[in-house]
């Protein structure tokens, strides 16, 4: 994504691979998400170039479940980590081989577990003793042996992340202490093959990632010894963040590599043949996405300016920000405004009938007029799929992927029938 000032005017065109976003908005309508395929590929390439080559990158589809996003990342070397039936089939249809898929999640249904066994994915990441029993029973029914990775709720947590998981009562994984107290786990139709730990999301410090990894590798070895299985896979989690807000800085991949690679190299030397896995969602997709809305109205209220747009938190809940005290804004632009235009504070709000539908509070923007496009940058992760898209019945927005210099619609916007078609009218007075 880039901005350039054209010679003939004071406007700065905002483009993706040379295509003006205004043209994409005109063709596909607003609100919409625009993704830069080159950026997605570059993120994968950067990770694979910087980090230990034996480390396999699994894309966590929950960050952005669009099948074309998944396929593009896969084309650039990503495997898949899925957490629902539809995510599993998304990965398969996107071309990911079953042996490069892991299924994870605290509440897997029988149908989901059966699908894991039937499709022959590499492993189920098991999150409780009860689930282990269920996996074994279902595998027995199907006459197969299930490959299972134990998800561990570790007894350590190294700070430096937005949301830490370790060392707390959690529905995720099995407490490390319980695993060490238990007798060696044996289930007739289960083969334990590995250990997974996920420490949290939005981690923006390199050292805690390396320190967590060091502890996870150690924990995995001790658990495998205790439960007497061969360590065929260690999933060190991920949760690498991107900077959204003021005073945040992006991770430095080279610094991370400097800390992480020696640990992974040493482990790999001691355990040849063990698959080493990192799970990444946000880190791969966030920077590639732009949420584009059109300003419907501008107004003032009690001395503050409001730009009321056609899309809001129904598509981009994350932009509500975190931290209840001061609202922190995602990076935002008036697309097409001159780069040196004077700015003033604007509240950017959406179409919902709730004051919470505020995408930006007192954002410094140039003068805004109805018809202008406002773009929210770094919006490629946890967008519509993590937002209340049905609130006020607006539905899912269109998604456009710019791939090799062309804009492709990769998801149609919902229309009225998409929203009404699944409802049943009980009292029909129309005939
Ligand atoms: C959500 C989640 C991910 C992806 O997290 P990001 O911060 O988007 O990279 C990976 N693994 C697990 C277990 C998760 O719950």
């Amino acid at each position: 994504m880039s901005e350039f000032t054209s010679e003939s005017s004071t406007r700065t065109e905002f483009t993706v691979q040379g295509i003006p976003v205004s043209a994409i908005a005109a063709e596909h309508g607003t609100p919409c998400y625009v993704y830069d395929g080159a950026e997605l590929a570059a993120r994968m390439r950067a990770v694979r170039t910087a980090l230990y080559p034996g480390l396999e990158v699994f894309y966590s589809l929950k960050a952005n479940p669009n099948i074309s996003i998944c396929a593009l990342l896969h084309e650039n070397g990503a495997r898949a980590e899925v957490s629902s039936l539809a995510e599993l089939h998304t990965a398969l249809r996107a071309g990911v081989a079953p042996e490069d898929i892991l299924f994870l999640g605290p509440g897997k249904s029988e149908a989901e577990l059966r699908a894991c066994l039937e499709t022959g994915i590499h492993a189920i990441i098991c999150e409780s003793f009860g689930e282990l029993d269920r996996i074994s029973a279902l595998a027995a029914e199907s006459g197969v042996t299930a490959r299972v990775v134990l998800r561990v709720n570790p007894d350590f947590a190294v700070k430096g992340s937005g949301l830490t998981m370790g060392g707390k009562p959690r529905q995720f994984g099995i407490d490390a202490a319980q695993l060490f107290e238990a007798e060696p786990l044996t289930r007739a139709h289960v083969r334990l093959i590995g250990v997974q730990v996920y420490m949290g999301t939005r981690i923006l410090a390199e050292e805690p990632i390396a320190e967590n990894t060091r502890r996870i590798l150690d924990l995995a070895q001790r658990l495998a010894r205790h439960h007497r299985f061969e360590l065929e896979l260690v999933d060190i989690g991920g949760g690498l963040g991107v900077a959204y807000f003021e005073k945040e800085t992006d991770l430095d991949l080279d610094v991370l590599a400097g800390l992480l690679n020696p640990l992974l190299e040493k482990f790999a030397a001691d355990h040849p043949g063990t698959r080493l896995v990192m799970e990444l969602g946000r880190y791969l997709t966030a920077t590639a996405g732009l949420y584009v809305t059109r300003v419907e109205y501008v107004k003032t209220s009690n001395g503050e300016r409001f730009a009321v747009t056609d899309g809001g938190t129904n598509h981009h809940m994350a932009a509500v920000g975190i931290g209840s005290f001061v609202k922190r804004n995602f990076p935002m632009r008036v697309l097409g405004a001159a780069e040196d235009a004077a700015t003033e504070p604007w509240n950017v709000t959406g179409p919902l009938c709730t004051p919470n539908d505020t995408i930006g509070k007192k954002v410094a923007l140039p003068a805004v007029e109805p018809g202008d496009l406002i773009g929210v940058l770094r919006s490629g992760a946890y967008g519509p799929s993590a937002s209340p898209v049905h609130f006020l019945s607006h539905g899912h927005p269109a998604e456009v992927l710019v791939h090799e210099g062309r804009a492709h619609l990769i998801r149609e916007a919902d229309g009225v029938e998409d929203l009404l078609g699944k409802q049943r009218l009980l009292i029909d007075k129309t005939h």
Side-chain angles (χ1 to χ4, degrees), residues 172-304:
F172 309 111
I174 306 174
D175 289 0
Q178 290 180 26
L179 282 168
F180 282 114
E181 281 157 20
E183 292 295 308
L185 288 167
T186 50
R187 297 287 187 283
H189 295 269
V190 165
R191 187 158 66 83
L192 295 179
I193 66 158
V195 170
Q196 187 263 14
V197 179
Y198 177 72
M199 296 301 302
T201 186
R202 284 191 24 78
I203 305 175
L204 284 173
E206 296 86 4
E207 269 172 41
I209 297 170
E211 179 55 23
N212 282 329
T213 301
R214 191 183 65 71
R215 295 191 192 200
I216 291 165
L217 294 172
D218 172 65
L219 176 68
Q221 293 172 76
R222 287 186 291 121
L223 273 174
R225 227 174 289 133
H226 181 93
H227 288 284
R228 297 174 194 160
F229 62 90
E230 206 172 311
L231 207 46
E232 295 174 29
L233 183 148
V234 181
D235 181 340
I236 62 170
L240 274 54
V242 300
Y244 292 125
F245 308 118
E246 235 176 280
K247 300 198 180 89
E248 286 185 342
T249 43
D250 280 318
L251 283 167
D252 185 325
L253 265 188
D254 292 326
V255 172
L256 179 64
L259 298 167
L260 199 57
N261 292 0
L263 299 172
L264 299 173
E265 272 161 34
K266 165 94 176 53
F267 183 89
D270 295 343
H271 300 82
T274 301
R275 288 180 84 170
L276 278 167
V277 170
M278 180 181 251
E279 313 164 348
L280 293 177
R282 187 190 317 272
Y283 192 80
L284 297 178
T285 61
T287 56
L290 179 73
Y291 180 50
V292 183
T293 63
R294 197 175 290 281
V295 178
E296 299 279 16
Y297 305 98
V298 295
K299 64 202 277 188
T300 60
S301 171
N302 286 308
E304 292 190 13

Side-chain angles (χ1 to χ4, degrees), residues 5 7 20 63 80 118 130 139 143-144 161 210 248 258 260-261 275 288 307 323 339 345 349 396:
T5 310
E7 300 282 322
E118 278 162 17
V144 297
S161 126
E248 286 185 342
L260 199 57
N261 292 0
R275 288 180 84 170
E339 210 167 306
T349 62
H396 201 290

Side-chain angles (χ1 to χ4, degrees), residues 32-55:
C32 68
Y33 273 84
V34 178
Y35 306 112
D36 182 352
E39 172 72 5
L40 288 168
R43 295 295 277 192
M44 261 311 288
R45 214 178 306 122
V47 170
R48 296 187 71 203
T49 307
L51 299 187
Y52 172 65
L55 180 68

